[in-house]
Amino acid sequence: MKSESDGLTGSKKQPLILIVEDSEPGAHLLQAYLRREGYRVEVAYGGEEALAKASQQTPDLITLDVVLPDLDGFTVCERLKTDSQTWFIPVILVTALDGVQDRIRGIKAGADEFLTKPVSREELLARVRSLLRLKFAYEALRLERNRLALLYSISQELNRQLSVDEVLSKIVTLTREALGATMCSIVIFETQGTNRQFISREGQPVCAADSVTPAILEQGLGGWVLRHKAGTIVEDACQDPRWLVLPTDTSPVGSAIATPLSLGQQVDGFLLLTHPEPHFFDESHLNVLTSIATQAAVTLRNTCLLYTSPSPRDS
């Protein structure tokens, strides 16, 4: 089964499904069906446990037995659907009850689908696939809306009457916060042929430097971006030779992402972000970062700060 996206970001992880059952045999059967298809699975044997796990782990879908030892499935479903943290999670009510009144009660509680015991494997998988497709389509629309709102906000900030240093500080701060990174760095090539770097780290003020370690531009991730004139992702910094560990580095880096500041073929610098977890960044992050970098390049060009001819590093 192909990987599904699980949120901002189009994560490569398989969808997580929470099975809520009152009996171990029933839970193990559903678990076997779903794991055979590649889904990740968690199990809860009571209503309170289910609510706690749903809040902590945010599963992509929940199969919910109606008969539970504490709270019944209708109550659990209603609580899930009225909680701002879990209302969007699809819920399949699994029940031995097949009366019309029971289904009406399930609908009122917010259930998205129903399965009758004994559960058919084919029907279960069909319901799961259908609901996951709808969930991820909705998330994609929501993320695109949020991305456009974010880019508009950044554009408004960068187009204010700011000094060059204020512009650069805004770029790294807004980008780091928007993409959930722990560090964001922008390197630009000034008209005098020198480099400048502004760095935003979580919990610290923005710092500036008048030069960049040459190894970064020659052998590191920044140099790769400049030579290829394209964005890229370092999924695991420990395994990717493009990530250089410098003597001044004090924080661990698990993954990184970078993209050029460019208009057309001219590259004026690059944006780079890091996170301590490997595989944190994905294509969704890269798309957003590329859009931010384009807006930043336009803003910086308007300051007359950058080269009006291609940087020698581009060749």
PDB file of all heavy atoms in Angstrom, residues 242-263:
ATOM      1  N   ARG A 242      26.405  16.152   2.323  1.00  0.00           N
ATOM      2  CA  ARG A 242      26.248  17.591   2.083  1.00  0.00           C
ATOM      3  C   ARG A 242      26.106  18.376   3.386  1.00  0.00           C
ATOM      4  O   ARG A 242      26.265  19.599   3.385  1.00  0.00           O
ATOM      5  CB  ARG A 242      25.029  17.844   1.190  1.00  0.00           C
ATOM      6  CG  ARG A 242      25.144  17.281  -0.202  1.00  0.00           C
ATOM      7  CD  ARG A 242      23.857  17.481  -0.983  1.00  0.00           C
ATOM      8  NE  ARG A 242      22.725  16.805  -0.352  1.00  0.00           N
ATOM      9  CZ  ARG A 242      21.471  16.885  -0.785  1.00  0.00           C
ATOM     10  NH1 ARG A 242      21.189  17.621  -1.854  1.00  0.00           N
ATOM     11  NH2 ARG A 242      20.501  16.239  -0.161  1.00  0.00           N
ATOM     12  N   TRP A 243      25.786  17.668   4.493  1.00  0.00           N
ATOM     13  CA  TRP A 243      25.681  18.366   5.762  1.00  0.00           C
ATOM     14  C   TRP A 243      27.024  18.317   6.483  1.00  0.00           C
ATOM     15  O   TRP A 243      27.510  17.247   6.836  1.00  0.00           O
ATOM     16  CB  TRP A 243      24.593  17.785   6.657  1.00  0.00           C
ATOM     17  CG  TRP A 243      24.456  18.626   7.897  1.00  0.00           C
ATOM     18  CD1 TRP A 243      24.904  18.343   9.144  1.00  0.00           C
ATOM     19  CD2 TRP A 243      23.894  19.935   7.949  1.00  0.00           C
ATOM     20  NE1 TRP A 243      24.647  19.384   9.996  1.00  0.00           N
ATOM     21  CE2 TRP A 243      24.025  20.389   9.292  1.00  0.00           C
ATOM     22  CE3 TRP A 243      23.288  20.779   7.012  1.00  0.00           C
ATOM     23  CZ2 TRP A 243      23.575  21.636   9.696  1.00  0.00           C
ATOM     24  CZ3 TRP A 243      22.839  22.025   7.424  1.00  0.00           C
ATOM     25  CH2 TRP A 243      22.994  22.433   8.751  1.00  0.00           C
ATOM     26  N   LEU A 244      27.610  19.481   6.704  1.00  0.00           N
ATOM     27  CA  LEU A 244      28.905  19.579   7.366  1.00  0.00           C
ATOM     28  C   LEU A 244      28.711  19.976   8.826  1.00  0.00           C
ATOM     29  O   LEU A 244      27.984  20.933   9.116  1.00  0.00           O
ATOM     30  CB  LEU A 244      29.783  20.627   6.671  1.00  0.00           C
ATOM     31  CG  LEU A 244      30.061  20.428   5.176  1.00  0.00           C
ATOM     32  CD1 LEU A 244      30.937  21.560   4.667  1.00  0.00           C
ATOM     33  CD2 LEU A 244      30.717  19.075   4.929  1.00  0.00           C
ATOM     34  N   VAL A 245      29.368  19.269   9.717  1.00  0.00           N
ATOM     35  CA  VAL A 245      29.351  19.634  11.129  1.00  0.00           C
ATOM     36  C   VAL A 245      30.570  20.501  11.389  1.00  0.00           C
ATOM     37  O   VAL A 245      31.711  20.062  11.226  1.00  0.00           O
ATOM     38  CB  VAL A 245      29.375  18.385  12.028  1.00  0.00           C
ATOM     39  CG1 VAL A 245      29.388  18.793  13.496  1.00  0.00           C
ATOM     40  CG2 VAL A 245      28.184  17.484  11.733  1.00  0.00           C
ATOM     41  N   LEU A 246      30.319  21.750  11.797  1.00  0.00           N
ATOM     42  CA  LEU A 246      31.403  22.708  12.020  1.00  0.00           C
ATOM     43  C   LEU A 246      31.787  22.749  13.494  1.00  0.00           C
ATOM     44  O   LEU A 246      30.977  22.418  14.369  1.00  0.00           O
ATOM     45  CB  LEU A 246      30.973  24.098  11.556  1.00  0.00           C
ATOM     46  CG  LEU A 246      30.516  24.206  10.095  1.00  0.00           C
ATOM     47  CD1 LEU A 246      30.024  25.614   9.809  1.00  0.00           C
ATOM     48  CD2 LEU A 246      31.646  23.819   9.156  1.00  0.00           C
ATOM     49  N   PRO A 247      33.011  23.164  13.793  1.00  0.00           N
ATOM     50  CA  PRO A 247      33.442  23.243  15.198  1.00  0.00           C
ATOM     51  C   PRO A 247      32.569  24.156  16.052  1.00  0.00           C
ATOM     52  O   PRO A 247      32.462  23.970  17.264  1.00  0.00           O
ATOM     53  CB  PRO A 247      34.874  23.790  15.093  1.00  0.00           C
ATOM     54  CG  PRO A 247      35.318  23.421  13.714  1.00  0.00           C
ATOM     55  CD  PRO A 247      34.098  23.481  12.860  1.00  0.00           C
ATOM     56  N   THR A 248      31.944  25.158  15.413  1.00  0.00           N
ATOM     57  CA  THR A 248      31.115  26.103  16.172  1.00  0.00           C
ATOM     58  C   THR A 248      29.691  25.606  16.395  1.00  0.00           C
ATOM     59  O   THR A 248      28.918  26.238  17.115  1.00  0.00           O
ATOM     60  CB  THR A 248      31.061  27.451  15.425  1.00  0.00           C
ATOM     61  OG1 THR A 248      30.597  27.219  14.086  1.00  0.00           O
ATOM     62  CG2 THR A 248      32.429  28.110  15.384  1.00  0.00           C
ATOM     63  N   ASP A 249      29.324  24.472  15.794  1.00  0.00           N
ATOM     64  CA  ASP A 249      27.962  23.943  15.952  1.00  0.00           C
ATOM     65  C   ASP A 249      27.752  23.428  17.367  1.00  0.00           C
ATOM     66  O   ASP A 249      28.541  22.614  17.868  1.00  0.00           O
ATOM     67  CB  ASP A 249      27.706  22.819  14.947  1.00  0.00           C
ATOM     68  CG  ASP A 249      27.626  23.337  13.521  1.00  0.00           C
ATOM     69  OD1 ASP A 249      27.473  24.559  13.360  1.00  0.00           O
ATOM     70  OD2 ASP A 249      27.717  22.527  12.582  1.00  0.00           O
ATOM     71  N   THR A 250      26.693  23.888  18.000  1.00  0.00           N
ATOM     72  CA  THR A 250      26.409  23.466  19.375  1.00  0.00           C
ATOM     73  C   THR A 250      25.099  22.690  19.499  1.00  0.00           C
ATOM     74  O   THR A 250      24.866  22.041  20.503  1.00  0.00           O
ATOM     75  CB  THR A 250      26.333  24.698  20.302  1.00  0.00           C
ATOM     76  OG1 THR A 250      25.339  25.606  19.798  1.00  0.00           O
ATOM     77  CG2 THR A 250      27.683  25.410  20.358  1.00  0.00           C
ATOM     78  N   SER A 251      24.245  22.775  18.484  1.00  0.00           N
ATOM     79  CA  SER A 251      22.949  22.094  18.536  1.00  0.00           C
ATOM     80  C   SER A 251      22.922  20.948  17.536  1.00  0.00           C
ATOM     81  O   SER A 251      23.406  21.092  16.410  1.00  0.00           O
ATOM     82  CB  SER A 251      21.815  23.077  18.226  1.00  0.00           C
ATOM     83  OG  SER A 251      21.820  24.153  19.142  1.00  0.00           O
ATOM     84  N   PRO A 252      22.359  19.800  17.928  1.00  0.00           N
ATOM     85  CA  PRO A 252      22.288  18.667  17.001  1.00  0.00           C
ATOM     86  C   PRO A 252      21.360  18.957  15.827  1.00  0.00           C
ATOM     87  O   PRO A 252      20.352  19.648  15.974  1.00  0.00           O
ATOM     88  CB  PRO A 252      21.739  17.534  17.864  1.00  0.00           C
ATOM     89  CG  PRO A 252      20.972  18.229  18.954  1.00  0.00           C
ATOM     90  CD  PRO A 252      21.707  19.503  19.215  1.00  0.00           C
ATOM     91  N   VAL A 253      21.705  18.435  14.660  1.00  0.00           N
ATOM     92  CA  VAL A 253      20.883  18.588  13.454  1.00  0.00           C
ATOM     93  C   VAL A 253      20.532  17.203  12.936  1.00  0.00           C
ATOM     94  O   VAL A 253      21.415  16.384  12.664  1.00  0.00           O
ATOM     95  CB  VAL A 253      21.620  19.392  12.369  1.00  0.00           C
ATOM     96  CG1 VAL A 253      20.818  19.403  11.068  1.00  0.00           C
ATOM     97  CG2 VAL A 253      21.878  20.817  12.849  1.00  0.00           C
ATOM     98  N   GLY A 254      19.235  16.928  12.817  1.00  0.00           N
ATOM     99  CA  GLY A 254      18.799  15.648  12.278  1.00  0.00           C
ATOM    100  C   GLY A 254      18.432  15.736  10.817  1.00  0.00           C
ATOM    101  O   GLY A 254      18.660  14.808  10.052  1.00  0.00           O
ATOM    102  N   SER A 255      17.831  16.876  10.419  1.00  0.00           N
ATOM    103  CA  SER A 255      17.443  17.079   9.024  1.00  0.00           C
ATOM    104  C   SER A 255      17.575  18.553   8.680  1.00  0.00           C
ATOM    105  O   SER A 255      17.604  19.420   9.557  1.00  0.00           O
ATOM    106  CB  SER A 255      16.021  16.586   8.780  1.00  0.00           C
ATOM    107  OG  SER A 255      15.113  17.198   9.680  1.00  0.00           O
ATOM    108  N   ALA A 256      17.667  18.832   7.376  1.00  0.00           N
ATOM    109  CA  ALA A 256      17.830  20.212   6.923  1.00  0.00           C
ATOM    110  C   ALA A 256      17.149  20.378   5.573  1.00  0.00           C
ATOM    111  O   ALA A 256      16.861  19.398   4.867  1.00  0.00           O
ATOM    112  CB  ALA A 256      19.309  20.575   6.825  1.00  0.00           C
ATOM    113  N   ILE A 257      16.901  21.630   5.228  1.00  0.00           N
ATOM    114  CA  ILE A 257      16.275  21.956   3.956  1.00  0.00           C
ATOM    115  C   ILE A 257      16.826  23.305   3.507  1.00  0.00           C
ATOM    116  O   ILE A 257      17.093  24.176   4.336  1.00  0.00           O
ATOM    117  CB  ILE A 257      14.735  21.994   4.109  1.00  0.00           C
ATOM    118  CG1 ILE A 257      14.047  22.178   2.770  1.00  0.00           C
ATOM    119  CG2 ILE A 257      14.314  23.047   5.091  1.00  0.00           C
ATOM    120  CD1 ILE A 257      12.531  22.038   2.860  1.00  0.00           C
ATOM    121  N   ALA A 258      17.036  23.476   2.202  1.00  0.00           N
ATOM    122  CA  ALA A 258      17.599  24.721   1.698  1.00  0.00           C
ATOM    123  C   ALA A 258      17.087  24.987   0.289  1.00  0.00           C
ATOM    124  O   ALA A 258      16.770  24.054  -0.458  1.00  0.00           O
ATOM    125  CB  ALA A 258      19.125  24.663   1.703  1.00  0.00           C
ATOM    126  N   THR A 259      17.020  26.263  -0.057  1.00  0.00           N
ATOM    127  CA  THR A 259      16.589  26.648  -1.400  1.00  0.00           C
ATOM    128  C   THR A 259      17.255  27.965  -1.770  1.00  0.00           C
ATOM    129  O   THR A 259      17.561  28.779  -0.888  1.00  0.00           O
ATOM    130  CB  THR A 259      15.056  26.772  -1.465  1.00  0.00           C
ATOM    131  OG1 THR A 259      14.619  26.770  -2.816  1.00  0.00           O
ATOM    132  CG2 THR A 259      14.571  28.029  -0.780  1.00  0.00           C
ATOM    133  N   PRO A 260      17.519  28.211  -3.059  1.00  0.00           N
ATOM    134  CA  PRO A 260      18.196  29.450  -3.452  1.00  0.00           C
ATOM    135  C   PRO A 260      17.270  30.656  -3.410  1.00  0.00           C
ATOM    136  O   PRO A 260      16.059  30.542  -3.577  1.00  0.00           O
ATOM    137  CB  PRO A 260      18.640  29.149  -4.893  1.00  0.00           C
ATOM    138  CG  PRO A 260      17.667  28.134  -5.385  1.00  0.00           C
ATOM    139  CD  PRO A 260      17.309  27.303  -4.196  1.00  0.00           C
ATOM    140  N   LEU A 261      17.870  31.815  -3.183  1.00  0.00           N
ATOM    141  CA  LEU A 261      17.193  33.086  -3.399  1.00  0.00           C
ATOM    142  C   LEU A 261      17.480  33.468  -4.843  1.00  0.00           C
ATOM    143  O   LEU A 261      18.594  33.859  -5.178  1.00  0.00           O
ATOM    144  CB  LEU A 261      17.738  34.160  -2.464  1.00  0.00           C
ATOM    145  CG  LEU A 261      17.487  33.993  -0.962  1.00  0.00           C
ATOM    146  CD1 LEU A 261      18.262  35.035  -0.181  1.00  0.00           C
ATOM    147  CD2 LEU A 261      16.011  34.116  -0.658  1.00  0.00           C
ATOM    148  N   SER A 262      16.507  33.323  -5.699  1.00  0.00           N
ATOM    149  CA  SER A 262      16.789  33.521  -7.117  1.00  0.00           C
ATOM    150  C   SER A 262      15.594  34.102  -7.850  1.00  0.00           C
ATOM    151  O   SER A 262      14.447  33.864  -7.489  1.00  0.00           O
ATOM    152  CB  SER A 262      17.191  32.202  -7.769  1.00  0.00           C
ATOM    153  OG  SER A 262      16.146  31.253  -7.665  1.00  0.00           O
ATOM    154  N   LEU A 263      15.911  34.871  -8.873  1.00  0.00           N
ATOM    155  CA  LEU A 263      14.945  35.346  -9.850  1.00  0.00           C
ATOM    156  C   LEU A 263      15.514  34.998 -11.210  1.00  0.00           C
ATOM    157  O   LEU A 263      16.574  35.496 -11.583  1.00  0.00           O
ATOM    158  CB  LEU A 263      14.729  36.856  -9.724  1.00  0.00           C
ATOM    159  CG  LEU A 263      14.024  37.343  -8.453  1.00  0.00           C
ATOM    160  CD1 LEU A 263      14.005  38.855  -8.416  1.00  0.00           C
ATOM    161  CD2 LEU A 263      12.610  36.785  -8.379  1.00  0.00           C
TER     162      LEU A 263
END
